[in-house]
Amino acid sequence: MGVQTAEWLRPLLNRPHGLLRCENIVLLGDVPGARHRDLMAWPHWVLKNLYGPVGVMFGKFYASEEEVSAAGHRIPAAPVSFLPVRAAVRRRDPRFLRATPDLAAALAAADDDGRDVFEDIPTEWTEIRTWARHLLPPAKPSPSSPGIPANPPRSSS
């Protein structure tokens, strides 16, 4: 659905008011033993990497989870889990991607020249897994990681 939505939006983004277009892909129902956060993680990451270089941005919101904006404002909880798909705002959106500087740079310089985003993507599942592995975001440090104290010492100054 993400690919279909992005491809539908791409030609519209350069039309008058095209930058204001946004489509939402809603995830309904449940999968036993899986949270929507887990189900959406990999597709969201791959879609951002495929479409960021052509100026299409994917977001993600989870049902019933409140968030806080970069400015510290409360964002109400979404009634359903969804992926918003919209034109990238090249000056602002790279800030959402600070942890992935290569993707942030690609998005900042995005240009939709009409390329097939799948042109260099393998078609065999084992090759797709290898391709996707190099796209993985860096692991976030965990308080339980070696070298990072769970309770860092406080400064006495």
Side-chain angles (χ1 to χ4, degrees):
M1 200 68 225
V3 169
Q4 183 178 359
T5 303
E7 291 298 331
W8 182 81
L9 273 177
R10 283 177 73 182
L12 303 176
L13 298 179
N14 292 320
R15 292 185 182 173
H17 308 293
L19 297 179
L20 300 176
R21 292 187 178 266
C22 180
E23 294 291 324
N24 293 302
I25 302 166
V26 177
L27 182 61
L28 299 174
D30 293 310
V31 174
R35 303 175 309 162
H36 283 188
R37 174 180 295 276
D38 301 324
L39 293 172
M40 293 167 55
W42 192 82
H44 172 258
W45 179 245
V46 170
L47 289 164
K48 282 189 347 184
N49 277 275
L50 286 172
Y51 286 98
V54 295
V56 177
M57 182 72 167
F58 283 81
K60 63 180 183 267
F61 295 91
Y62 309 107
S64 305
E65 290 189 26
E66 257 188 44
E67 296 191 31
V68 177
S69 74
H73 301 290
R74 180 183 157 271
I75 299 173
V80 294
S81 296
F82 69 100
L83 297 172
V85 186
R86 61 173 174 78
V89 179
R90 289 164 184 83
R91 288 181 305 180
R92 298 183 69 168
D93 285 345
R95 291 186 289 178
F96 290 122
L97 305 170
R98 277 190 298 261
T100 53
D102 291 343
L103 182 54
L107 186 68
D111 178 37
D112 194 350
D113 53 9
R115 76 187 91 159
D116 176 359
V117 299
F118 289 97
E119 184 175 19
D120 297 321
I121 308 302
T123 56
E124 295 297 321
W125 179 243
T126 54
E127 294 171 347
I128 291 171
R129 285 192 308 197
T130 301
W131 169 82
R133 194 172 297 124
H134 89 274
L135 297 175
L136 292 175
K140 293 181 181 176
S142 155
S144 61
S145 296
I148 301 173
N151 296 310
R154 293 188 177 184
S155 171
S156 58
S157 48

